[in-house]
Structure formats: C-alpha cells, structure tokens
C-alpha cells in the first residue's frame, strides 16, 4: 500500500501500524469532492504515465489537478508521487499543501510533511512542526532519520548537532521513549560516537525487541565500538528468536558474513536447510565454503543451486572448478560443459567463455579432441578468433603436441593471413618440434612486414645463436632489437648470450647480470651461471643456481644446468 511505502523500509511499532480496515475507513472519512469528466480523464492519463514509469509526467498532471480541484485524495497522491520522483522541493510543496487540505487527524499528511521538510534541508521547519505535536515520537524518529541522512550526505555536522541539541532539550538524556532513543542513536552513529549510539540503541531494542531499526542500529554501534563478537552474538540470538521472519533472518545472516565469516557459516548452513528456495542464501553459503580450506563442502549447495534457473551457470562453473582442483578432470569437464549460454546473464558472459576454454583444455588433457570446442568459441566470438588460436596452440604445446599446435596455427594463418602474433607462435612451435629452418622463416616473414619489430629481431637473433647460426648476424639482429627496447631484460639476456657464444665472456657477464637483476627467469639464471663457471667463478655460479632453485622450484632447466656444469 502507499501508506507502507511512505513509512519506508522500517515498520512502525505494532501498536501504531494501522490495519487495512482502518486505512479504508480513514480514506472513506476524507471529504473528497466529486470530479468532473475532464478531471477524471487527466487522472487516467496520469495513472497510465505511472504504469509506464513516467513519474515526471504523472507528477506534472497531478500538480495541475491538485491546484484546480483542491481535492484531498488528489493532493495525497501528488505528495506520494513527488516523494517517489525524489525532487525535495516539489515534494515539500505537495506535502505541505496536502497537510493544509487534510483533516487534523490525518497521520499520513503530517508524516509526509515532516519527511518533506527534512529531505529539503528544512530541518528547523521540520522540528518546529514536530514541536507543535510533541507526542508524535514516531514521526520524530522518521524526520530524524531523513534529516540525519541528508545532513550526512552534504556533510553538514551543524544541522545534525543542532537537531541533537533540540531533541535532548525537549526529551532529556534519560528519555524512556524508544522512538526518541532511536533518533538519538541515529544521530550519534552519524557523528561516529558509537558508544553513545550503542547505549541508546540497546535501550530501544530492550523496549521494542521486534523493532528492526533499533536492532540494526544496535548491531552497527557494536561494530563501531569494536565489539564484533557481541554483534555476532546478538544477531544469532535474533535469528533464533524469530523463526517466522525468513526475509529478515536471511538479511541478518548476510550482515553476519560481513562481520565474521567463520561465525556466520554454521548459521548460513542452518538457514539454507530451512529455506532451500533462497538462491541467494545457498550461493553465499557455497561461496564461503569455496573460499575455505575445504572447498569440496560447497558442492552440495551448488548442486541445489543447479535446480534454480538464475544460479545454474555459476553453480555448474564452480562445481567444475572444485573438481578440477581435486584432479577429477572428467567430472570437471562434465560440469564445465553444463554451463549453458541459456542460463548465463549479460554479466556472466566472461564466465561462459572461461568455462568453454577450460572444457577445451580438459578435453585435450584427457586425450580427447578439444578442437571442436575451440571451433565453436571462434565461431561465437569472431573478434577474438586470433587470441583463441593462440590459446589452443599454447595448450597443445604445453602437452608437447607440437605438430598439432602447428596445424592449429596454420589454420589461424589461413583465416588471418600474415598475422604477426600467429607467425611468432608458429615459429616457437616449429623450433620446439625441431624444424629450425621453418621457425627462422616465420621470423623473417615478420621482419619483412615490420623491420623494426624488436620482438622478432630478438627472437631471430637468439634462435640463430642457439642453433649454430651466423653469430655475427645474430649479434647484429639483437643489437638492433636492443636499440629499439634498451630496457627489455629478455633482449639484454640475448645480448649476453650471443656475446658468450662469440667468446666475449666479460662483456657477456655484464649483460647477463643486468638481465638477472630485473627478470626472474630460468634461462637467464642458467646463462649467468654458465658464464660465471666459464670465467672460473664457480662459487658464484653455484650460488646463482642454488638461489634459482629456491625461487623457481618447478624449473627443470636450472638443475639440468647445475648437473651439466658439475656444480
């Protein structure tokens, strides 16, 4: 109902909340004038505008009709729409006019006027209106919340402190009225005086255990004073004592997560059993387990989520991730395949691509054909086709399937001729497959297109150095690359290595030490150790290799170099 919308997210105390029958009776008592056909037509137009969510048009019509009809019902509707539009000054005008037309005992008119005054920064005006009706403490809290919120947004501590002083003068520090206590708690919380906020919030919660605003204020003030354990405790107690309020229990469980995830987990597990229809609750519980030391505990919650349409994609995706971490590759592939485009939202498109990429890789790892998956991806994402050819070739090269990687890159170059990055990747695959001449040809083709490609110059020079090519030509190529990218540690390493192969050991050492200082890489470490050993500095070479094995424990090249050098 509009009355509930006006009241906001927090409910009135139960003794003040009117029933639907009372609201209907009150509406019948409002003296509304008969409206002519022209006015009714405009009202219909305004309501249709509301139906289309065109609030501005609806408000324009209602403002016009309020002035022409002076009808209480029309004025009330105008004020409600103005509040929804969010223009504080139009809301203020509409609310004050509605209060002027409404009967003296119209609670809604008074309430809207107080809200409007507070929202338009007329806090003194709101206070003056409240002072004429000092018994209306519910509206006091309402106006206080509006005023404090507005003042905090515009960083106006003066208004907040002014309001605090007046409330204390009127009601006293020891007020026993829960609504006043909530108002004081809200103000102290905004002023970051959490100790005083906690005192008043605790009093209000004790007087009105079911008042959710008082309870949340109490929890926030406990967090503000560093009493997180107490905040968690009171939340847990509230959840236990209100078994029939599912929405609030779930909301408070989420709040508990933000305070203490470990303490929140058993509460979330219990609520997930009670409310298996709450996808949000199941997802939070699953995600906490996923981030724990036992991510496999998340699987039952994700499996329940697969039954709920909007969560199916993320559920299958994370189940697959868990199985993949456990090396259950067949189960992982099975669940990645279930991440369907039909279940994915616009925000989850990247997740869909990741699932398909992982599926393609896993099929290759399982000895199956993953090429079809990549073909589907390239068809669905033609703008990323080159990147996807690279990714498929990388996976195959990691599996030492160099001929298959070359076939994929050949297909990529057939569809995207002379693409530099694909030529470069194919040169690497050719070299690893022992086809050095083809690798060198690919690099020369790149330089034919771009003679200043530092990457290709360096790669060609380095490959020639490693494969007994013309060392002087290799040196010239690397020198050109270094002139283009003087701070690139990979090129600096290449220069050191070609100098070493040319017998210029002292010069080589200088370049390799520079590369080692800025790049942690197994080839750089091995090159540096080899030059040090050649210069007779075996202790230094041994130390470089030892440190390299500490820094790169998965490297195979470093221990091989150590053994080859007899160190």
């Amino acid at each position: 109902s509009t009355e509930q919308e006006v009241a906001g997210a927090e409910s009135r105390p139960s003794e003040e909340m009117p029933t639907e029958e009372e609201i209907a009776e009150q509406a019948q008592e409002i003296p509304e004038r008969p409206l002519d056909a022209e006015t009714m037509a405009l009202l219909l137009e305004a309501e249709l505008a509301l139906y289309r969510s065109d609030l501005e048009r609806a408000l324009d019509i209602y403002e016009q009709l309020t002035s022409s009809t002076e009808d209480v019902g029309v004025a009330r509707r105008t004020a409600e729409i103005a509040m929804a539009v969010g223009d504080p000054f139009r809301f203020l005008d509409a609310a004050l006019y509605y209060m002027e037309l409404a009967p003296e005992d119209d609670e809604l008119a008074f309430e809207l006027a107080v809200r409007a005054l507070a929202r338009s920064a007329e806090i003194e005006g709101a206070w003056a209106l409240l002072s004429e009706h000092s018994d209306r403490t519910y509206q006091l809290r309402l106006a206080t919340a509006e005023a404090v919120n507005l003042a905090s947004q515009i960083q106006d501590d003066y208004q907040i402190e002014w309001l605090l002083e007046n409330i204390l003068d009127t009601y006293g520090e020891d007020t026993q009225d829960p609504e006043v206590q909530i108002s004081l708690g809200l103000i102290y919380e905004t002023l970051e005086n959490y100790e005083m906020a906690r005192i008043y919030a605790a009093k209000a919660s004790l007087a009105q255990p079911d008042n959710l605003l008082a309870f949340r204020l109490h929890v926030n003030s406990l967090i503000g004073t560093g009493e997180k354990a107490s905040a968690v405790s009171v939340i847990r107690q509230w959840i236990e004592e209100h078994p029939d309020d599912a929405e609030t229990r779930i909301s408070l469980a989420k709040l508990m997560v933000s305070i203490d995830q470990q303490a929140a987990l058993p509460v979330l597990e219990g609520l997930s059993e009670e409310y298996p229809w709450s996808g949000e609750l199941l997802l939070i519980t699953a995600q906490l387990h996923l981030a724990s030391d036992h991510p496999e505990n998340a699987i039952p919650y994700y499996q329940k989520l697969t039954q709920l349409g909007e969560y199916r994609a993320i559920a299958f995706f994370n189940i697959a991730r868990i199985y993949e971490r456990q090396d259950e590759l067949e189960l992982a592939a099975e669940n990645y395949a279930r991440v369907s485009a039909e279940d994915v939202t616009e925000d989850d498109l990247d997740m869909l691509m990741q699932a398909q990429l992982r599926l393609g890789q896993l099929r290759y790892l399982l000895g199956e054909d993953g090429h079809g998956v990549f073909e589907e991806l390239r068809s669905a994402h033609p703008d990323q086709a080159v990147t996807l050819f690279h990714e498929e070739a990388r996976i195959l090269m990691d599996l030492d399937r160099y001929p298959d990687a070359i076939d994929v890159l050949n297909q990529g170059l057939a569809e995207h001729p002379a693409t530099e990055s694909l030529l470069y990747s194919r040169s690497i695959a050719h070299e690893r497959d022992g086809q050095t001449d083809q690798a060198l040809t690919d690099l020369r083709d790149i330089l034919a297109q771009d003679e200043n490609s530092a990457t290709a110059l360096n790669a060609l020079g380095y490959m020639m150095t490693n494969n007994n090519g013309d060392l002087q030509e290799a040196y010239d190529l690397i020198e050109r690359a270094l002139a283009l990218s003087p701070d690139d540690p990979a090129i600096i390493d290449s220069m050191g290595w070609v100098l070493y192969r040319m017998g210029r050991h002292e010069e080589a050492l200088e370049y390799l030490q520079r590369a080692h200082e800025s790049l942690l890489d197994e080839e750089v470490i091995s090159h540096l150790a080899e030059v040090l050993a050649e210069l007779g500095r075996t202790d230094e070479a041994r130390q470089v290799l030892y440190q390299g094995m500490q820094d790169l424990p998965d490297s195979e090249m470093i221990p091989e170099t150590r053994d080859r050098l007899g160190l």
Side-chain angles (χ1 to χ4, degrees):
S1 70
T2 52
E3 285 77 6
Q4 289 171 323
E5 292 169 2
V6 169
E10 294 78 39
S11 298
R12 301 171 186 254
S14 57
E15 66 272 19
E16 293 188 19
M17 177 64 79
T19 65
E20 291 186 9
E21 291 77 9
E22 289 171 338
I23 293 172
E25 289 174 6
Q26 183 181 4
Q28 290 175 357
E29 293 170 1
I30 297 175
E32 298 183 12
R33 300 166 55 185
L35 302 177
D36 57 39
E38 181 180 354
T39 300
M40 291 301 294
L42 286 171
L43 284 173
L44 179 59
E45 181 184 346
E47 291 300 316
L48 287 172
L50 286 175
Y51 181 77
R52 296 191 302 269
S53 299
D54 187 353
L55 299 183
E56 291 284 352
R57 175 58 181 157
L59 182 55
D60 288 342
I61 296 172
Y62 264 104
E63 284 177 332
Q64 172 190 340
L65 290 175
T66 298
S67 176
S68 63
T69 65
E70 296 185 352
D71 181 85
V72 174
V74 174
R76 178 180 64 234
R77 191 71 165 150
T78 306
E80 291 166 349
I81 297 170
M83 181 172 66
V85 166
D87 184 325
F89 302 107
R90 294 176 79 180
F91 178 32
L92 179 59
D93 288 342
L96 291 178
Y97 193 50
Y98 169 33
M99 190 175 72
E100 180 183 329
L101 295 174
E104 180 65 27
D105 60 350
D106 188 336
E107 289 284 331
L108 182 58
F110 181 81
E111 190 172 297
L112 286 175
V114 171
R115 270 185 180 267
L117 285 162
R119 287 193 186 184
S120 59
E122 295 287 347
I123 294 177
E124 293 186 26
W127 180 257
L129 185 59
L130 286 165
S131 298
E132 297 174 8
H133 305 272
S134 58
D135 58 319
R136 299 192 178 188
T137 51
Y138 168 72
Q139 283 81 4
L140 167 72
R141 190 258 287 173
L142 200 66
T144 303
E146 297 279 0
V148 168
N149 181 53
L150 177 65
S152 62
Q153 286 179 15
I154 62 177
Q155 299 180 333
D156 188 348
D157 285 353
Y158 170 79
Q159 292 244 42
I160 299 174
E161 290 169 355
W162 182 92
L163 192 58
L164 173 63
E165 182 181 343
N166 278 276
I167 292 175
L168 289 173
D169 285 347
T170 302
Y171 296 96
E173 294 181 4
D174 298 326
T175 177
Q176 299 303 306
D177 190 314
E179 301 296 350
V180 179
Q181 291 167 345
I182 294 172
S183 294
L184 290 169
L186 286 168
I187 294 176
Y188 279 120
E189 180 185 40
T190 303
L191 293 172
E192 298 185 3
N193 187 339
Y194 296 111
E195 184 58 39
M196 291 300 296
R198 185 185 63 80
I199 291 170
Y200 283 110
K203 288 180 179 179
S205 291
L206 186 62
Q208 296 182 347
D210 293 331
N211 189 316
L212 196 54
L213 176 60
F215 176 77
R216 287 185 180 274
L217 182 60
H218 188 200
V219 171
N220 290 339
S221 62
L222 287 170
I223 297 170
T225 54
E227 300 175 60
K228 292 187 177 181
S230 296
V232 168
S233 178
V234 298
I235 291 174
R236 185 184 291 111
Q237 181 179 352
W238 199 99
I239 289 173
E240 291 172 356
E241 293 176 353
H242 296 77
D244 298 328
D245 191 347
E247 184 177 349
T248 304
R249 296 175 90 204
I250 293 171
S251 174
L252 290 176
K254 289 161 56 181
L255 177 60
M256 191 187 292
V257 171
S258 69
I259 303 170
D260 186 335
Q261 293 185 0
Q262 186 173 355
L265 189 53
V267 175
L268 288 166
E269 290 175 331
L271 292 177
S272 294
E273 291 295 322
E274 291 186 58
Y275 311 123
W277 45 262
S278 173
E280 183 182 23
L281 186 59
L282 288 169
L283 182 62
I284 295 171
T285 309
Q287 299 290 67
L288 286 182
H289 276 302
L290 183 64
S292 72
D293 294 333
H294 298 282
E296 66 276 5
N297 292 336
I299 291 178
Y301 298 97
Y302 283 127
Q303 286 175 334
K304 290 179 182 178
L305 281 169
T306 63
Q307 307 303 313
L308 304 176
E310 63 181 311
Y311 297 100
R312 281 173 56 83
I314 191 171
F316 282 127
F317 182 79
N318 283 317
I319 290 172
R321 287 175 61 202
I322 295 168
Y323 281 133
E324 189 174 2
R325 290 180 191 176
Q326 296 174 331
D327 288 329
E328 298 279 357
L329 300 188
E330 290 185 0
L331 287 172
E334 181 182 319
N335 281 279
Y336 279 130
R338 290 177 175 171
V339 180
S340 167
E342 296 176 359
D343 298 327
V344 172
T345 66
E346 286 291 327
D347 296 333
D348 294 330
L349 289 176
D350 183 63
M351 181 179 67
L352 176 62
M353 173 171 272
Q354 288 300 316
Q356 292 172 313
L357 282 171
R358 299 303 303 148
L359 175 61
Q361 179 165 7
L362 288 175
R363 285 191 173 163
Y364 276 129
L365 287 171
L366 291 166
E368 302 170 5
D369 182 15
H371 186 64
V373 177
F374 282 95
E375 285 287 80
E376 289 180 14
L377 272 170
R378 285 188 283 267
S379 176
H381 305 278
D383 57 321
Q384 299 185 52
V386 171
T387 300
L388 290 166
F389 277 118
H390 278 296
E391 183 63 17
E392 186 177 4
R394 181 194 64 77
I395 291 168
L396 289 165
M397 282 194 278
D398 286 346
L399 294 171
D400 297 334
R401 294 175 56 176
Y402 303 117
D404 292 332
I406 292 169
D407 287 343
V408 167
L409 292 164
N410 285 342
Q411 179 187 343
L413 284 162
E415 295 179 18
H416 305 274
T419 300
E420 182 175 325
S421 60
L422 292 174
L423 284 168
Y424 184 76
S425 291
R426 192 173 67 177
S427 74
I428 296 172
H430 274 138
E431 183 190 27
R432 292 182 184 178
D433 196 39
Q435 302 180 49
T436 305
D437 289 344
Q438 290 92 327
L440 294 172
T441 298
D442 283 335
L443 292 173
R444 293 188 189 282
D445 286 345
I446 294 173
L447 290 172
Q449 298 178 65
D450 180 7
E451 63 180 8
N452 291 320
S453 170
T455 300
L457 287 166
N458 178 59
L460 182 57
Y462 184 70
M463 195 176 294
M464 291 175 66
T465 302
N466 278 337
N467 291 279
N468 300 315
D470 185 330
L471 292 179
Q472 184 58 52
E473 182 185 358
Y475 173 86
D476 293 341
L477 290 165
I478 296 169
E479 186 178 43
R480 286 171 59 194
L482 195 59
L484 292 164
S485 299
D487 298 320
D488 188 326
I491 301 176
I492 294 170
D493 170 70
S494 296
M495 177 57 78
W497 191 237
V498 73
L499 286 169
Y500 167 69
R501 295 295 299 273
M502 295 173 77
R504 297 160 62 176
H505 298 158
E506 290 290 348
E507 293 177 77
L509 180 62
E510 179 184 346
Y511 280 99
L512 292 170
Q513 285 175 330
R514 281 177 57 199
H516 186 240
E517 288 172 1
S518 56
L519 179 64
L520 182 61
D521 179 82
E522 61 179 3
E523 285 191 81
V524 175
I525 291 168
S526 297
H527 292 164
L528 177 58
E530 189 149 341
V531 173
L532 285 169
E534 183 68 30
L535 291 170
R537 296 162 64 170
T538 54
D539 287 344
E540 292 177 64
R542 186 178 292 107
Q543 179 59 33
V544 166
L545 291 167
Y546 174 77
Q547 188 61 51
M549 288 189 288
Q550 302 301 307
D551 295 336
L552 300 171
D554 296 329
S555 170
E556 296 180 0
M557 179 180 287
I558 297 173
E560 286 174 356
T561 302
R562 176 199 61 186
D563 296 342
R564 179 168 52 79
L565 296 176
L567 299 176

